[in-house]
Each structure stands twice: as C-alpha cells, then as structure tokens.
Amino acid sequence: MSEYNEKKETCGTICLKYLLFTFNFFFWLAGLAVMAVGIWTLIQKSDYISLLPSNTYAATAYILVIAGAIVMITGILGCCATFKERKSLLKVYFILLLCIFILEVLAGILAYIYYQQLNAELKQSLKQTMTTKYKQPGEEKVTNAVDKLQQEFKCCGSNNSEDWRDSIWINSPEAEKRLVPDSCCKTVTQRCGIRDHPSNIYKTEGGCITKLETFIRAHLLIIGAVGIGIACVQLFGMIFTCCLYRSLKSEPY
C-alpha cells in the first residue's frame, strides 16, 4: 500500500513539474509582451508625455518594463527550480512571482486612477502648457510634441484655434504675424499660420484636448489590461509552485 502511495505521489509531482514548466514557458513569453508594451509606450509615444503635468502615465509604462524584465528572469529561474527540484529555488521563485504580481496590479491600479482623472487634468493644464511653453527657450520637447499632436490628430489649439491668441510666442515678433503655429495648417508651408480660415487650418470640434484624451485613454486601457491580465495568470503559477513545494517536501530523500 505504501509503495502504491509513493508511486502515486511521484506521478503527481511529475505532472506538477510539467505543468509548472509549461506555465513558465508562456510566462516568459508574457513577460516579453509586457516589457514590449512598456517600451513601446515610452519610445513611440514619449512626445506626448511632455504635455502631461503628472508622471503617472510614464510611471505605469516604467512599471511594466521593470515587471516584464523580472518576469523573463523569473521564468528561467522557475524552469531551473522545477527540474532541479530545489525547494530553496522554489521559495525564491514564489517570492519573485509575488513581487511581480504586486507590481503589475499597481500598474493596473495607477492606469485606472489616471484614466478617471485624465479629463480634468488635461482641461486644467494643456492650454497653459501649449500657450506658455511653445517655441520657448529650453522647451523644444514640448514644441515638437505640440506640432506632432496638431498634425497627427488634425487639430489646432487645446480647445480651438482661438486658444493661440494667448500664446507668448504668437504675441511675440518671432511669430512673424502668425495667428496660429504652422502645424495647425492642413498643408504645412512656411508662415501658413498667418491665416486662420477653416480652409487653411484644422477646426476640429473639441480641439486637441479631446484627441489627446482619447489617445491616452486607449493606451491606459492597454496598460491596465496587460498588467491586471498577467497578474491574474500569475496566481496559477503561485498555486502550482505551492503544490510542487509541498509535494517535494513530503517525498522521501
């Protein structure tokens, strides 16, 4: 009877080992995907980060990059711990899984909180950022972001083109009598911003603030979904790890 139980226990351990190995393989791929989403957000969309008054959006992306890198390392460690049947490695693996779980839940929560407060934050700050920092010394990043925003989303001004009347640059001699920046024009040419007629510039309803809000909200949903989604998958990994640890602990040496 004891021999039967030992064989049954060993078969259960083998099944757990292969389950955990399979989990780690897909977990490693998930870590790569998480890190890719974070890097893509920071590199491809970094221009618009300079238009936001808080660092929450960037923080969520950085958390995903860090979590993704740790996930990939943890996946390799998990495979080693599984096949070497080292309980000490399994302990470290479980702790790392728990840390990653907390990081990704944090990224998801930050994304959700910022999603809720984004509209109010943009309304309060975007116009001021555009009118006080555009074409100002040391604000090249904001200038490039504004030009890219207006061209990419076919908009002009925070709420509308009239916002540019309060611009420090528009009211300076350097503007050369422009009414809006050239990036507001449907066809960008030198000094095309001297005419603010609808046939010449974008008169998008809601202005750039609506376009930017929609864009960032979409990316926050991706960041939040990835963070929470991977965190939920990790729960299975932690359960498998606990089961394997208990199984190894009960086996004869």
Side-chain angles (χ1 to χ4, degrees), residues 4-169:
Y4 171 76
N5 287 335
E6 186 177 329
K7 286 181 179 178
K8 186 178 177 182
E9 187 175 55
T10 303
C11 288
T13 302
I14 290 171
C15 288
L16 281 171
K17 282 171 63 176
Y18 280 100
L19 273 173
L20 197 54
F21 177 80
T22 304
F23 168 81
N24 277 302
F25 174 72
F26 287 105
F27 191 51
W28 187 88
L29 291 178
L32 185 63
V34 167
M35 190 164 63
V37 169
I39 292 172
W40 172 69
T41 301
L42 291 172
I43 294 178
Q44 295 295 324
K45 309 302 174 183
S46 60
D47 290 337
Y48 299 140
I49 291 175
S50 62
L51 297 177
L52 304 174
S54 72
N55 295 320
T56 310
Y57 181 63
T60 56
Y62 278 117
I63 288 173
L64 284 186
V65 172
I66 294 168
I70 298 174
V71 163
M72 294 177 71
I73 296 169
T74 303
I76 296 171
L77 176 64
C79 290
C80 295
T82 301
F83 280 98
K84 287 189 176 183
E85 299 185 3
R86 296 281 298 276
K87 289 183 288 182
S88 57
L89 284 178
L90 283 173
K91 281 183 180 178
V92 174
Y93 174 65
F94 181 85
I95 292 169
L96 284 173
L97 278 181
L98 186 60
C99 291
I100 299 164
F101 177 82
I102 294 169
L103 274 176
E104 288 173 344
V105 169
L106 179 62
I109 292 172
L110 282 176
Y112 176 77
I113 292 172
Y114 195 56
Y115 186 92
Q116 299 298 317
Q117 67 183 36
L118 180 62
N119 180 267
E121 186 174 278
L122 285 177
K123 281 183 179 178
Q124 186 177 15
S125 67
L126 187 60
K127 180 182 176 181
Q128 184 180 4
T129 299
M130 293 174 77
T131 56
T132 61
K133 294 184 178 181
Y134 185 78
K135 292 282 188 181
Q136 297 304 299
E139 298 292 350
E140 290 78 13
K141 200 169 183 179
V142 171
T143 301
N144 292 333
V146 170
D147 286 337
K148 183 178 178 181
L149 175 67
Q150 295 190 141
Q151 276 296 295
E152 187 173 336
F153 293 117
K154 296 178 171 53
C155 57
C156 183
S158 176
N159 298 291
N160 52 59
S161 60
E162 293 182 3
D163 289 342
W164 285 109
R165 293 178 182 177
D166 300 323
S167 168
I168 295 174
W169 179 72

Side-chain angles (χ1 to χ4, degrees), residues 199-216:
S199 63
N200 184 51
I201 68 169
Y202 294 114
K203 293 281 188 178
T204 308
E205 186 177 349
C208 292
I209 190 170
T210 303
K211 297 286 187 177
L212 183 59
E213 182 185 358
T214 302
F215 169 82
I216 293 177

Side-chain angles (χ1 to χ4, degrees), residues 217-235:
R217 278 180 180 269
H219 282 76
L220 285 173
L221 283 176
I222 294 172
I223 291 172
V226 168
I228 298 296
I230 300 299
C232 290
V233 171
Q234 284 173 237
L235 288 174

